[in-house]
Each structure stands twice: as structure tokens, then as C-alpha cells.
Amino acid sequence: MQAIAEIGCERSLQWRGDGSQPLPDEILTSTTPLLLRGLVADWPLVRAARQSPLAADAYLRRFHRDATVLATSAPPETGGRIFYNEDLSDFNFSTQMVRFDQVLDALRAHLDHPRPPTLYVGSTTVDTCLPGMRAENDLNFGERDPLASIWIGNRTCVPAHYDLPDNLACVAAGRRRFTLFPPAQLRNLYIGPLDFTPAGQSVSLVDPRRPDLARFPRYAEALAHAQSAVLEPGDALFIPSMWWHQVEGLEPFNILINYWWRQSPAFMDTPFNTLLQALLTMRDLPPAQRAAWQEIFRHYVFDSDGGEAAHIPPPARGMLAPLDAAGARALRAQVLNRLNR
């Protein structure tokens, strides 16, 4: 396992403070993870968290306006792992909608408990849950308009998964361990179901804290390519699109603020829909036909540089023309028409 490439506090300082300096493209378009030590150390929330969990709790309550959130809870014997039951027929946790301050109450009540239940709120929009907080705790992304979310809980372990958007994760309270795997390690991570997932994305079935290499032997190869770091309050981590990442909350009280954005236009659909269609239409073809379709996808998609349509007059290129919003609508209409036949 390797350490994540680190940008120290000295360089991070230029993007801190009042947020007048936007984060540079060299970070926000990186294709490898980057650790930015101290990037958000000047946030008031971080300063409060460094005093104590209770100070961070009090700071959050300043902005709470009766918002409800989806809260996850699990018994102590799960050890904080947000996962399935033994036979993957259900999950090992339950969820319910509660007021955000009730989550804070529960976390505060279990701060000193040696074996607390798992308490977790994931991916909740900051502006909805804590209106006004970003005015004091934010980053400058220039022309990008990322979605800012808050994650809060006690000691938890979220299995390795990927996200389509790029991600800048900022630790505001507690500590978190991130372990990242390149996209090419997919086959070595033993991914679970595509259509029944703990939180919307497929996850690795390997317990990262106690990996069973007899059952999952290729996981050792994934670990050989993994990158890991523990983030303290004020640190941030850039996670490129499609990198697998597992996240562990290491303290009784942890807060993460993350920013998601896509480098592709908003009119583009998620590639996951293509995967579902491929499972339906291609996976079980005879090998020779599957190889032929692999070549078609390589030609028109994976090796596309525009040259595949250069011999066609521009007005006649149709769906092979460069994609824009109008072209995306036309393609979507054709897909829906074909699906409805």
C-alpha cells in the first residue's frame, strides 16, 4: 500500500482564508488522488472541532432549521461497517428520517460509550440541512458549481465503492482513513450486487479491516496498488472520478464536507445505464458476436477521436456528430423509442 501524493500546508495556504483564490485546475482535473493538508484549517467549523466535539456540535446547531435527514443506525456488533447481512439478502443497518438535531443528540449521548451503536448520516446537501453554513465554510471552485454535502457520524466503515463525479472531501471534525484503489483494480475488489446496494453504488464485499484472503485471494493484489492516508481536521482529499475508495470514521464524532462535480456536460447520461443495457443485450451473446461488438464499441466509443466519421459529410453524420444538448435529446428519444418497441 502506498501513501497518497501530498500537497503540504504551505501550498494549500494560498487557497485558504476568504476563498478569494479558486482551486487550480491542476488539482481539480487530476487523474490521481491528491492529499491537501490543511486546506480547510481556517474554517470556523474546523476550529470549533479542534476545541472539542461539543464545540463542533454547538457550531452546527447555529444553522439547523428543523431539517430532516436520512439517518443510518446499526447495532454495536456491526463494528460500524455499513454493509449487508450474512447472506446478502438484506442490510445490517436500518434507516429512518429524523431531525438533524436528533442525530446530534444521539451522537453526543454516545460520545464516551465504549461500544456505541453505529450512527451515520451520509450525503446530505449542506444548503438544505444547514442553510447559511457555507457562507463561513466553503471553497472557491471558480466557474464550477459543485454539490456540497455533509457526512456525519461516529466510528463507521464504508466499503470500497466508486462515484462518477470528481470529489473533494474535506475533514471538518474527527479523523478519517481513506483507502483508494485505481479503476483497474475492479476485478480484485470482489464487487457485490449491482442492483441491491447499501447506498446506491456497488461495494466491495471484502472487510477492509479483516480481509479474508482465503475467500478473496485477489484482494492482496488490490492492496498492492492501494493508496491510503489518515486525514485530520482541516485536511482535504481529491478523489478522481471512478477511483474506488473505502472510508473509515476513526473517532466518536466525525464530520466530512465534500464537493461533487462532473467534468462532462450536464446533458450527458450516466454510463451505468449503458452497462445495464450491455448486460441485457451483449453479455450472453456467443463469444464471436461479443468480440465483434467489443470492436464496434472500441471504434465508436473508447478509441473515438472524431476520425471515425470524417469520411461522412458533416450534415449527414447524425448521431456521430459531436454531442451537444440537442443531439443528446435526439439520442435519448431514439433510445426510449427502441426500448418501447
Side-chain angles (χ1 to χ4, degrees), residues 21-141:
Q21 294 296 317
L23 290 160
D25 281 350
E26 67 183 90
I27 289 175
L28 301 181
T29 60
S30 176
T31 57
T32 57
L34 294 172
L35 175 58
L36 293 90
R37 292 289 186 193
L39 179 67
V40 297
D42 291 336
W43 281 3
L45 175 56
V46 173
R47 292 200 297 264
R50 284 179 169 168
Q51 294 176 37
S52 69
L54 293 179
D57 173 286
Y59 183 84
L60 290 178
R61 290 176 192 266
R62 285 178 44 197
F63 303 96
H64 171 60
R65 299 291 184 273
D66 297 331
T68 57
V69 296
L70 184 66
T72 295
S73 61
E77 52 266 28
T78 64
R81 189 182 183 205
I82 309 296
F83 198 60
Y84 296 94
N85 62 4
E86 287 296 324
D87 62 1
L88 274 65
S89 63
D90 202 349
F91 302 121
N92 68 351
F93 59 86
S94 60
T95 59
Q96 64 179 123
M97 296 297 298
V98 299
R99 283 178 29 143
F100 183 71
D101 59 340
Q102 292 178 301
V103 175
L104 294 177
D105 291 343
L107 287 168
R108 185 169 58 184
H110 291 91
L111 275 177
D112 300 319
H113 198 286
R115 197 166 175 262
T118 297
L119 302 168
Y120 179 70
V121 171
S123 190
T124 299
T125 305
V126 174
D127 292 335
T128 300
C129 180
L130 300 165
M133 194 181 80
R134 286 180 67 190
E136 299 179 6
N137 306 267
D138 209 3
L139 289 168
N140 187 341
F141 286 82

Side-chain angles (χ1 to χ4, degrees), residues 145-172:
D145 184 23
L147 175 67
S149 300
I150 188 169
W151 311 66
I152 184 169
N154 52 12
R155 291 187 176 92
T156 55
C157 180
V158 176
H161 62 285
Y162 73 85
D163 295 308
L164 178 58
D166 291 300
N167 182 359
L168 186 66
C170 306
V171 172

Side-chain angles (χ1 to χ4, degrees), residues 1-2 179-182 185 188-189 206-208 211 213 216-228 246:
M1 191 178 301
Q2 312 160 39
T179 305
L180 278 59
F181 303 89
Q185 291 305 307
N188 298 324
L189 290 172
V206 183
D207 185 343
L213 295 182
F216 304 115
R218 293 194 307 273
Y219 187 70
E221 179 67 13
L223 284 177
H225 295 272
Q227 300 182 29
S228 184
Q246 63 194 33

Side-chain angles (χ1 to χ4, degrees), residues 298-301 303-313 317 320-322:
R298 183 201 61 76
H299 181 71
Y300 286 109
V301 179
D303 288 351
S304 172
D305 59 4
E308 66 273 9
H311 57 286
I312 304 174
R317 289 176 184 171
L320 293 177

